[in-house]
Amino acid sequence: MKRRYLILVGFLVLIALGPLILPEFYVTLLNYIGLYAIVALGLVLLTGVGGLTSFGQAAFVGLGAYSTAYLTTASELPVWMAPFGASPWLALLVGLALTAMVALLLGALTLRLSGHYLPLGTIAWGISIYFLFGNLEFLGGHTGITGIPSLSVLGLEVRYGREFYYLIWAMLLVAVWLTQNLLDSREGRAIRALKGGTLMAEAMGVDTARSKTVIFLIAALYACLSGWLYAHLQRFVNPTPFGLHIGIEYLFMAVLGGAAHVWGALLGAGVITILKQWLQDLLPKIFGSSGNFEVIVFGVMMVLMLQRARDGLWPILAKLIPDSAGDRERSSVPHADPLPKKPLLQASEQLLEAKDVVKEFGGLVASNNMSFSVRSGEVLALIGPNGAGKSTMFNCISGVDPATSGKIFFRGEPVEKLNSREIARLGMSRTFQHVRLLPTMSVLENVAIGAHLRGSRGVLSALLHLERAEEQRLKAEAARQIERVGLKEHMFDQAGSLPLGKQRILEIARALAADPVLLLLDEPAAGLRYLEKQALADLLRRLRAEGMGILLVEHDVDFVMGLADRVVVMEFGEKIAEGLPEQVRQDPAVLEAYLGGVE
Ligand code: ADP
Ligand code: MG
């Protein structure tokens, strides 16, 4: 930790001394690196962390630049706008507000798109906004706007490159700090969970559409800020720097630097800017004619990188300084007052009731008129051969994939129309047959996602790190659940490094962190060794004794029979038997369909 800290301080000192010792040329270069890094930082959040690819960030840079250019230079502004032209800082506010509006609109239109439709969408609006800049009369068309005033900060004139340098880098470092704070928070975990697909995050109560909008908005606002600085540094704007090809370059910076790391934005912006400068000097000499040859080199680099170093340069650099985030965490198992829990259940309360649930996939009826109920303090096992429809029932009950027809009541409320987030809030928590976790995050962080709904502090307090007390409690809760399921020694390991059986146990801890009254476990014992299975059965017995209801899908018949209070047997989507374990065990239909065949 000390070493990294020293390096950071050294870096900041160098940044501070830069303009005092460097020639003008390098100061200018560093100014541009700073401007680009602010945009790339937004892309780290959006693309690297959130997994949403945008080629259109340059358009938001343009919005920031053109807003201030127009407002601070127009000779006759409409009356209601006139006050905003009085100072570049007011123009910045207008630019940010305008960008926010455009981003929210574009976000609403494009963020729903999945797969490659999203990047295509960003290309579409990237091009449209660029052409708008070039074709609007009052923005000066392709010639642009000149005569943009310099800035003043607290009465100090910011006119020359060296003065701008401090403003740009101060803003960049603040943005880095804010972004890092955000990522290290409840909201940040929700954002990082996006990469694991929305299904798990939603089941843990994360509003994924909102998280996506948040990062889209922040990335757009960073871009706008960069554009505003750019306009006042250059003192003129035209549409060229806001086109699609620059949008691609921004993305390349983020990806090259290491798209999942905040410092990667700086590294990427630095490497690309310096390399571009260098290639623009060198390549025309080699080819003997002028042209944008560097584009070709960048293209080749991109392909090489995608093959050789997908995670970008930052992780490679960070490895040289051995002091991983895990080590920092390791020194402190989080402790804090426990979070409030849901009131204790009444004994034998009816928790879940499924009535005539039908689920069709096209022509296939995966679940046909399934009915059963689970009470508090009870383990109900749902068994049946592969493909019987057990996981399908889980998905219907937990709101992941709604039933075609039928009724489902949870604690007396009809829930068949609710989404998985709303159902999670009511106190149902689940694991997945195919483990869904974030492999590069620590076990602790993964489990903390489960506690999402037990926190309430939002994005603003996360950005400013005003939610430390709550965050500590969420982490402490996660740590308690990890200890409870017996994964304490793995608390700070990467979740992906655990054997599959332990990943399943991790999912149980994550589900428990939500403080559920009903636990849905889809094949939790698969991949566990004998002793681990025993430990799991003990854990489930303890949970049952506390009054929790447990719905369990499991293949291991001995495991099920030794644990379950009642058993429901499914085959081909239908219930073929129900009763006490020993009754079911002797049921001829069950022996025929399942136990006899498999065991
Ligand atoms: P189980 O969990 O009992 O092994 P599933 O519920 O996973 O069984 O599957 C039941 C049946 O529904 C299977 O025939 C499976 O192929 C089908 N099925 C499950 N999910 C889907 C889906 N999303 N689309 C189409 N068919 C599905
Ligand atoms: Mg299944």
Side-chain angles (χ1 to χ4, degrees):
M1 164 158 189
K2 275 212 172 118
R3 216 150 125 200
R4 285 217 168 165
Y5 200 62
L6 282 179
I7 289 175
L8 178 65
V9 170
F11 174 71
L12 292 179
V13 169
L14 277 184
I15 294 284
L17 293 181
L20 306 178
I21 46 179
L22 291 172
E24 188 74 29
F25 172 79
Y26 288 102
V27 175
T28 308
L29 204 61
L30 281 170
N31 279 345
Y32 282 99
I33 291 175
L35 290 176
Y36 296 149
I38 295 176
V39 186
L41 187 61
L43 281 171
V44 162
L45 192 60
L46 185 67
T47 307
V49 179
L52 305 172
T53 306
S54 168
F55 291 102
Q57 292 312 102
F60 291 126
V61 182
L63 280 180
Y66 267 102
S67 307
T68 198
Y70 174 69
L71 287 171
T72 54
T73 59
S75 47
E76 279 174 45
L77 283 173
V79 181
W80 64 272
M81 248 194 248
F84 296 108
S87 146
W89 292 95
L90 290 173
L92 173 62
L93 289 184
V94 175
L96 290 173
L98 181 70
T99 304
M101 268 164 18
V102 174
L104 288 177
L105 181 72
L106 289 174
L109 292 174
T110 49
L111 289 181
R112 273 167 222 272
L113 303 177
S114 57
H116 50 270
Y117 292 107
L118 173 69
L120 287 179
T122 66
I123 290 177
W125 52 253
I127 294 177
S128 321
I129 296 181
Y130 168 73
F131 276 104
L132 210 60
F133 293 141
N135 289 296
L136 288 178
E137 195 85 20
F138 70 98
L139 295 182
H142 285 282
T143 7
I145 299 175
T146 54
I148 301 171
S150 60
L151 293 174
S152 70
V153 181
L154 304 172
L156 292 174
E157 192 89 358
V158 182
R159 192 174 309 179
Y160 302 107
R162 284 176 202 277
E163 296 158 355
F164 251 99
Y165 173 96
Y166 285 108
L167 184 60
I168 292 172
W169 279 81
M171 287 190 161
L172 170 62
L173 291 174
V174 168
V176 166
W177 179 72
L178 292 173
T179 312
Q180 217 158 27
N181 284 351
L182 176 63
L183 288 175
D184 172 31
S185 74
R186 168 179 171 270
E187 291 282 356
R189 266 192 304 278
I191 291 165
R192 285 186 283 164
L194 292 175
K195 258 203 172 164
T198 56
L199 202 135
M200 180 274 285
E202 288 274 331
M204 296 301 130
V206 173
D207 187 342
T208 54
R210 185 174 156 279
S211 289
K212 285 182 186 176
T213 309
V214 164
I215 52 177
F216 191 65
L217 190 63
I218 293 177
L221 292 178
Y222 283 174
C224 167
L225 175 69
S226 170
W228 176 79
L229 285 165
Y230 172 86
H232 290 285
L233 174 69
Q234 286 273 0
R235 315 286 287 272
F236 84 94
V237 292
N238 69 11
T240 318
F242 312 125
L244 186 62
H245 64 295
I246 307 290
I248 296 173
E249 230 168 84
Y250 283 129
L251 188 61
F252 190 29
M253 286 176 191
V255 174
L256 178 83
H261 307 268
V262 286
W263 294 108
L266 245 99
L267 188 62
V271 170
I272 297 276
T273 311
I274 292 169
L275 204 63
K276 191 172 173 181
Q277 184 70 37
W278 184 63
L279 290 172
Q280 275 174 346
D281 284 346
L282 186 74
L283 292 180
K285 284 187 198 136
I286 295 177
F287 289 107
S289 67
S290 61
N292 292 343
F293 297 114
E294 77 279 358
V295 176
I296 305 169
V297 177
F298 284 167
V300 174
M301 270 174 60
M302 186 74 159
V303 173
L304 277 180
M305 223 198 67
L306 289 177
Q307 287 185 339
R308 296 292 158 103
R310 287 214 164 173
D311 298 330
L313 298 177
W314 181 257
I316 299 173
L317 199 66
K319 238 185 247 157
L320 300 177
I321 319 161
D323 176 1
S324 66
D327 290 340
R328 218 173 323 150
E329 266 186 339
R330 201 180 296 274
S331 54
S332 56
V333 174
H335 283 292
D337 292 339
L339 293 162
K341 281 174 69 76
K342 290 191 186 69
L344 278 179
L345 297 170
Q346 289 165 5
S348 221
E349 180 189 341
Q350 174 98 298
L351 287 179
L352 177 77
E353 191 181 9
K355 265 190 182 164
D356 304 322
V357 172
V358 177
K359 177 70 187 177
E360 295 172 1
F361 294 109
L364 178 89
V365 184
S367 165
N368 195 9
N369 283 325
M370 280 298 296
S371 302
F372 56 79
S373 61
V374 186
R375 297 184 162 275
S376 57
E378 175 183 56
V379 176
L380 178 75
L382 189 59
I383 65 171
N386 265 328
K390 306 178 297 290
S391 294
T392 302
M393 273 311 288
F394 262 46
N395 288 342
C396 293
I397 293 168
S398 60
V400 163
D401 198 1
T404 313
S405 71
K407 294 240 162 273
I408 300 167
F409 296 93
F410 181 50
R411 310 189 81 180
E413 267 188 65
V415 295
E416 67 273 359
K417 298 260 162 22
L418 302 186
N419 61 35
S420 58
R421 203 169 355 118
E422 293 159 331
I423 293 178
R425 192 175 279 284
L426 293 175
M428 191 193 296
S429 198
R430 66 168 292 176
T431 65
F432 295 90
Q433 180 180 351
H434 303 288
V435 174
R436 289 173 190 268
L437 39 72
L438 296 147
T440 58
M441 273 162 68
S442 70
V443 169
L444 182 69
E445 293 261 32
N446 267 283
V447 173
I449 296 173
H452 185 79
L453 286 173
R454 298 174 78 184
S456 60
R457 304 297 295 268
V459 176
L460 279 184
S461 38
L463 283 166
L464 298 170
H465 256 191
L466 298 175
E467 35 59 278
R468 291 292 88 187
E470 180 187 274
E471 173 68 5
Q472 189 67 9
R473 289 178 84 185
L474 294 176
K475 285 256 185 75
E477 173 67 14
R480 259 191 296 275
Q481 300 303 346
I482 290 168
E483 287 184 35
R484 195 180 192 186
V485 301
L487 284 183
K488 187 176 179 191
E489 62 194 290
H490 297 295
M491 196 169 304
F492 302 108
D493 294 347
Q494 282 201 347
S497 72
L498 300 187
L500 189 61
K502 290 199 165 143
Q503 296 189 1
R504 292 187 180 284
I505 303 292
L506 185 163
E507 286 213 336
I508 298 179
R510 187 178 64 198
L512 289 175
D515 183 28
V517 295
L518 179 67
L519 201 55
L520 267 55
L521 305 177
D522 200 345
E523 305 202 11
L528 292 192
R529 277 172 286 188
Y530 180 72
L531 284 179
E532 292 171 327
K533 279 187 192 180
Q534 300 248 294
L536 174 62
D538 282 344
L539 171 69
L540 298 184
R541 284 193 191 99
R542 264 180 286 141
L543 295 174
R544 170 171 64 187
E546 287 169 23
M548 204 176 284
I550 298 172
L551 178 59
L552 175 78
V553 165
E554 191 42 67
H555 272 299
D556 183 332
V557 176
D558 290 331
F559 181 86
V560 167
M561 295 302 176
L563 181 69
D565 298 296
R566 287 187 304 124
V567 180
V568 169
V569 189
M570 281 183 86
E571 191 189 20
F572 300 125
E574 312 221 1
K575 180 161 80 179
I576 56 168
E578 174 169 12
L580 301 173
E582 48 282 14
Q583 290 172 342
V584 166
R585 202 165 207 169
Q586 282 148 24
D587 190 306
V590 176
L591 287 174
E592 169 77 17
Y594 179 59
L595 301 179
V598 174
E599 292 304 297

